[in-house]
Amino acid sequence: QVHLVESGGGLVQPGGSLRLFCAASGIISSKKSMDWYRQAPGKERELVATITTGGITNYADSVKGRFTISGDTARNTVDLQMTSLKPEDTAVYYCTTSNYYGLTYWGKGTLVTVSS
């Protein structure tokens, strides 16, 4: 059984920074990537950032230059460093891991609120 646990969410002022952490337990065969998604109230879930087992990263246009994903996919850990936060970054952030067979495992999420 695969479990992912996120931490690091909270309340931050606009322009501030926050770092999210994720650790996965269990065996994930043929792992392809670890990712961060977010879902804001009333909006669809959005892929924020991805890091592949080969270390390749990708970002949503809305966070490029502000967010950095890093981690050790072999150790099943991934972080998301968020800077220059905006109110529109407010959302529940989910950590996921996917494999080449189309399976995706999700954490329960951590809430990030950007507000003055």
Side-chain angles (χ1 to χ4, degrees):
Q1 191 77 347
V2 177
H3 293 283
L4 293 94
V5 179
E6 305 97 336
S7 61
L11 174 64
V12 62
Q13 292 187 342
S17 300
L18 209 58
R19 191 176 188 97
L20 305 183
F21 304 90
C22 174
S25 60
I27 298 173
I28 306 162
S29 59
S30 302
K31 189 192 311 176
K32 180 174 68 173
S33 66
M34 295 190 77
D35 320 275
W36 286 96
Y37 284 78
R38 68 184 180 186
Q39 187 164 22
K43 294 188 177 181
E44 293 187 356
R45 196 168 287 178
E46 173 189 24
L47 176 60
V48 175
T50 295
I51 184 166
T52 70
T53 52
I56 297 171
T57 58
N58 280 292
Y59 299 91
D61 288 342
S62 57
V63 306
K64 277 182 183 176
R66 300 189 298 121
F67 290 12
T68 303
I69 188 170
S70 62
D72 187 338
T73 55
R75 295 185 178 182
N76 292 338
T77 60
V78 64
D79 299 348
L80 186 68
Q81 177 68 49
M82 305 184 293
T83 63
S84 302
L85 283 161
K86 305 174 182 179
E88 51 263 44
D89 294 318
T90 295
V92 177
Y93 284 72
Y94 299 90
C95 174
T96 73
T97 185
S98 301
N99 68 13
Y100 285 100
Y101 298 107
L103 283 175
T104 300
Y105 302 92
W106 292 78
K108 292 185 177 180
T110 184
L111 177 63
V112 172
T113 303
V114 184
S115 175
S116 55

